[in-house]
Amino acid sequence: MFPDGNRREFLDPSALSRLSGLPLFARRPMMGSVSGRHPSPHRGASVEFAEYRKYVPGDDLRRLDWRAYGRTDRFYVKEFEADTNLRCCLVLDTSGSMDFGSGDITKLQYALKIAGALSYLAVQQGDAIGLSCVAEDMIQNIPPRRNPAHLMHVFDTLEKAVPKDGTQLTSVLHELAETIRQRALIVIISDFFVEPAELRSCFEHLQFRKHDVTAFHLLDPQELGFEFRRPMRFLDMEGGPAIFAEPNEIADRYHKALQEYLENLKQVVLQTGIDYHRTVIDEDYEKVLTQFLAGRTRARGVR
């Protein structure tokens, strides 16, 4: 489970063993470098029939469909879906707000569990994994590779991740849309303290470049409930000024602003069609990942 002998706090061997029974599939055709389990935009050899096309000189005669010739007196060639490997690029928000957690775990610690598990699962099934850590800039950028030694490098980087500073998530996502040359599964793990309209532009840019986009939106229970009983000093964890307030006086406005933000984000998700998962960090991350993987397995079955 740990080839370098190091035990990582964000990795649970028993959870990884259970999750390994569910494959990680792409929702869009991928362009990999070796044969794999994911659909490709190119035709090739697999058990998944794609279509017939007319024979042209030079085609492999073994792919002629003689039954179709018997029915139509014309030569047709069978084409099949080509399967390839996947590039999975994790985008991890390491801005200051990810250090918040009202319970036993912070948002960044929860994000590390998701990122670590997906990294392990991808490499185990022969796919490539990459990692970008984002705060006020791109703190770290590891291109996707598929060997176990590279996986240890990803784990080391996750282990050293520190939440600090503000966030420039949107500008980094636009940068990644241009710099990740081939189609990839882009998994964004963040609390998305960004205007939904700006996120729409990012998601559309990534999809225009043929990437398969997934977002894990991490929220703390206290952010949803806002259950404070006495005057509090609220700190901006990304460098803004602190605010001293009576919670009862601002609770209604807070909930109204939160619901407006979540509704606007919901509209962005519906309009762009990304694979979005709102996740409260007191949920079992293994259950969250099981639902994510199972949903992609079902989508694979109807492609």
Side-chain angles (χ1 to χ4, degrees):
M1 184 67 71
F2 306 106
D4 61 354
N6 292 333
R7 178 68 182 270
R8 324 281 177 157
E9 288 188 8
F10 54 85
L11 295 177
D12 179 354
S14 59
L16 294 179
S17 178
R18 291 188 292 270
L19 288 169
S20 295
L22 289 169
L24 172 61
F25 284 127
R27 299 189 307 166
R28 288 185 167 209
M30 294 287 115
M31 296 179 67
S33 57
V34 297
S35 178
R37 64 176 70 199
H38 308 281
S40 166
H42 305 301
R43 300 300 182 212
S46 85
V47 297
E48 295 283 346
F49 172 72
E51 62 184 4
Y52 286 106
R53 67 168 174 80
K54 289 183 179 180
Y55 169 82
V56 295
D59 282 336
D60 188 345
L61 295 178
R62 291 173 297 179
R63 293 166 57 196
L64 283 173
D65 190 313
W66 295 106
R67 291 184 179 179
Y69 172 75
R71 293 193 303 269
T72 65
D73 203 31
R74 296 174 183 270
F75 290 113
Y76 288 96
V77 173
K78 280 184 174 181
E79 291 202 325
F80 297 86
E81 298 284 357
D83 287 337
T84 187
N85 69 314
L86 170 75
R87 288 178 176 83
C88 179
C89 299
L90 302 177
V91 182
L92 178 66
D93 185 349
T94 60
S95 61
S97 62
M98 293 291 286
D99 198 28
F100 181 70
S102 62
D104 297 330
I105 190 170
T106 67
K107 286 185 279 189
L108 181 61
Q109 290 170 337
Y110 195 94
L112 294 179
K113 291 177 180 291
I114 292 177
L118 290 177
S119 300
Y120 175 82
L121 295 174
V123 172
Q124 283 295 108
Q125 67 181 30
D127 292 328
I129 190 71
L131 173 67
S132 298
C133 297
V134 183
E136 288 191 336
D137 199 352
M138 194 183 304
I139 306 300
Q140 185 86 28
N141 186 33
I142 303 174
R145 292 189 178 87
R146 48 191 294 268
N147 60 73
H150 176 74
L151 177 62
M152 294 305 107
H153 179 36
V154 171
F155 285 166
D156 288 342
T157 304
L158 290 173
E159 198 166 41
K160 296 173 183 175
V162 177
K164 62 179 181 179
D165 301 327
T167 180
Q168 291 295 327
L169 179 64
T170 54
S171 62
V172 171
L173 290 178
H174 282 299
E175 180 182 345
L176 290 173
E178 292 298 322
T179 56
I180 300 175
R181 298 298 183 185
Q182 292 186 307
R183 305 179 188 205
L185 169 60
I186 310 293
V187 180
I188 309 163
I189 312 172
S190 172
D191 53 10
F192 290 109
F193 280 175
V194 179
E195 289 296 328
E198 296 180 30
L199 286 174
R200 178 192 288 111
S201 174
C202 297
F203 296 156
E204 290 174 343
H205 191 180
L206 288 164
Q207 291 184 317
F208 176 77
R209 304 293 293 185
K210 307 298 184 183
H211 298 305
D212 180 1
V213 183
T214 290
F216 287 96
H217 184 187
L218 305 187
L219 293 165
D220 186 88
Q222 192 68 280
E223 292 175 321
L224 297 174
F226 201 72
E227 296 176 351
F228 298 99
R229 304 301 181 191
R230 56 186 176 81
M232 301 290 294
R233 184 168 176 258
F234 296 96
L235 302 177
D236 184 338
M237 303 185 74
E238 298 192 357
I243 299 174
F244 187 83
E246 171 59 61
N248 292 334
E249 294 179 359
I250 64 173
D252 289 343
R253 283 179 289 165
Y254 174 87
H255 284 296
K256 181 180 179 181
L258 176 64
Q259 291 307 311
E260 181 179 345
Y261 164 77
L262 293 176
E263 181 58 32
N264 289 339
L265 185 56
K266 179 181 177 181
Q267 293 305 313
V268 169
V269 170
L270 292 174
Q271 291 164 10
T272 58
I274 70 161
D275 188 8
Y276 173 80
H277 300 266
R278 184 188 298 173
T279 305
V280 184
I281 63 172
D282 61 355
E283 297 180 58
D284 181 357
Y285 83 98
E286 184 182 346
K287 179 181 177 181
V288 171
L289 285 177
T290 297
Q291 293 172 343
F292 163 70
L293 295 169
R296 287 179 164 259
T297 300
R298 288 193 296 270
R300 164 83 173 192
V302 298
R303 71 180 174 96

